[in-house]
Amino acid sequence: MFTLENPLVMLYVRLIGWTLLGYVLGKLLPKIFTTYLGKALLFVGVPISIISFLRQADLSGWIVIAPTTAWVAILVGAGLAWIWIDLGVSDERFSKLSRGITSREKNLETNPSMDTTLEHETSWSGATQGSFLLAMTLGNTAFMGYPVSLALVGPQYFAWSLFYDLIGSTIAAYSVGIALASRYGSMSSNQKKPNPFVSMAKTPALWSLPIGVGMRFIPLPTVVTSGMSMIAWTTVTLSLVMIGMQLSQLKTLRNVKRALTCLSIKMLLTPLVVGTGLMFFGVTGEPRMAMVLQMAMPPAFSTLVIAQAYNLDRDLTVTTLAFGVVLLLFTIPIWLWLFS
């Protein structure tokens, strides 16, 4: 059961091995190498991979369910997160009121300039709320989700993971994600606010989707398809290496308790609720597994980019990223057990 021929064992060997290699390389090489690798994968590796895997994928059935499920999962996760935030803010307000009214009045007498408003005192600041909600919206459904899906579900049902990512998660990142960051964060005066439509238009993966679907009906020479397949599987490996390199650049891990709460909602509760709900719509087997695995991915590294750009809670974002990758190793067997 635990031999190297077991798909789960092989997945863990790849996940841990290539990510650790990337972590070591990230410590040894200049940071610019991570940037170069990311751009190479984004503009070359991932588009070719999408086209290659789509030629092997089964597009029959109600595959439109995949992006719909992605949006439902995002809304469910955000809703659960908002309830938790609301309870946390209310609890902190009550606690501070019950034990600190008298002391605050004394402080105001001795130091009238002290800002003692509940909004500033609570640790659930706007920036923290934004980072908490952002982690629910942006999952690592590409660089982490693709390797996991290919290993456990296979190329035949890869299109379900692909549609979930591109039409669901990617569009959500440039719409809901940016909207949340704008709502809870702020940008410095010299920063230009990104246009979500321009950002989506500059995403090669989105353009690769219709190209890949169209090229399914075009016969190609064997040498071309073999070369594309080699690039595709190399991209899968390099994606894990890049994740390790990105992890090596994370500096501070704080707010562990809040980060674990965030990840519990994102990676456990939401996939359980939505994955179970799919059964009532007749979605079972490998397609459901492909989508559940995508739902259960840790937050994407792009959350850190957005958090920095909009002055959100960077410490919370960094902690959710690091712990999310580790937590994934423990949650995958749960989904295989529940939904296989």
Side-chain angles (χ1 to χ4, degrees):
M1 182 178 180
F2 294 101
T3 64
L4 288 177
E5 296 180 358
N6 186 302
L8 183 60
V9 174
M10 287 302 300
L11 172 64
Y12 275 53
V13 170
R14 295 190 185 102
L15 283 178
I16 298 173
W18 291 116
T19 303
L20 281 178
L21 175 61
Y23 187 90
V24 174
L25 291 176
K27 291 294 186 181
L28 298 176
L29 299 175
K31 292 182 180 180
I32 195 67
F33 276 81
T34 305
T35 303
Y36 288 149
L37 178 58
K39 288 183 177 180
L41 294 177
L42 179 64
F43 291 100
V44 180
V46 171
I48 293 177
S49 300
I50 290 171
I51 295 172
S52 176
F53 288 129
L54 272 178
R55 293 179 64 86
Q56 310 171 48
D58 180 6
L59 298 185
S60 62
W62 291 93
I63 201 169
V64 70
I65 293 175
T68 304
T69 301
W71 282 94
V72 170
I74 289 169
L75 293 176
V76 169
L80 293 172
W82 177 254
I83 292 173
W84 184 269
I85 290 173
D86 188 58
L87 291 173
V89 172
S90 299
D91 182 66
E92 286 183 3
R93 285 179 175 173
F94 177 79
S95 178
K96 290 177 184 296
L97 281 171
S98 64
R99 72 172 185 269
I101 293 179
T102 304
S103 62
R104 281 200 298 273
E105 290 176 348
K106 292 181 180 179
N107 287 333
L108 281 172
E109 292 177 358
T110 58
N111 188 3
S113 63
M114 180 179 292
D115 184 359
T116 57
T117 62
L118 289 173
E119 181 180 357
H120 287 85
E121 282 187 342
T122 177
S123 59
W124 275 110
S125 64
T128 299
Q129 293 179 49
S131 289
F132 196 93
L133 290 169
L134 191 63
M136 304 295 161
T137 307
L138 308 184
N140 200 336
T141 51
F143 292 121
M144 183 70 81
Y146 290 176
V148 173
S149 177
L150 286 166
L152 298 180
V153 183
Q156 183 181 1
Y157 294 97
F158 178 68
W160 288 81
S161 301
L162 187 63
F163 277 61
Y164 185 104
D165 169 54
L166 295 180
I167 308 180
S169 298
T170 299
I171 294 178
Y174 295 116
S175 55
V176 179
I178 296 297
L180 286 172
S182 301
R183 167 67 177 81
Y184 291 97
S186 62
M187 300 184 73
S188 59
S189 57
N190 61 343
Q191 286 181 302
K192 185 179 179 181
K193 193 173 182 178
N195 186 317
F197 297 103
V198 174
S199 298
M200 280 190 286
K202 291 181 178 179
T203 304
L206 285 176
W207 292 104
S208 303
L209 181 60
I211 294 173
V213 173
M215 289 186 65
R216 285 170 58 88
F217 308 101
I218 301 176
L220 296 175
T222 304
V223 64
V224 174
T225 56
S226 298
M228 291 174 59
S229 180
M230 183 179 66
I231 293 175
W233 287 106
T234 301
T235 298
V236 170
T237 299
L238 291 178
S239 297
L240 298 175
V241 173
M242 191 189 68
I243 289 173
M245 295 176 73
Q246 290 174 322
L247 285 173
S248 72
Q249 297 174 9
L250 302 182
K251 300 300 181 182
T252 305
L253 297 180
R254 296 179 182 176
N255 298 323
V256 174
K257 183 178 179 180
R258 188 161 292 164
L260 291 178
T261 301
C262 175
L263 294 172
S264 296
I265 298 173
K266 167 73 177 69
M267 300 177 65
L268 289 172
L269 192 56
T270 299
L272 180 62
V273 171
V274 180
T276 302
L278 287 172
M279 176 180 61
F280 297 99
F281 294 91
V283 182
T284 57
E286 301 301 326
R288 179 171 67 166
M289 176 59 69
M291 291 186 288
V292 167
L293 290 173
Q294 288 288 58
M295 284 182 240
M297 286 299 110
F301 279 85
S302 56
T303 58
L304 181 57
V305 176
I306 296 176
Q308 291 174 327
Y310 285 87
N311 298 313
L312 298 177
D313 191 333
R314 186 182 184 279
D315 289 341
L316 177 59
T317 302
V318 169
T319 306
T320 57
L321 289 177
F323 279 85
V325 173
V326 176
L327 183 61
L328 180 66
L329 300 176
F330 297 93
T331 57
I332 289 177
I334 296 176
W335 308 127
L336 292 177
W337 176 62
L338 288 175
F339 296 114
S340 291

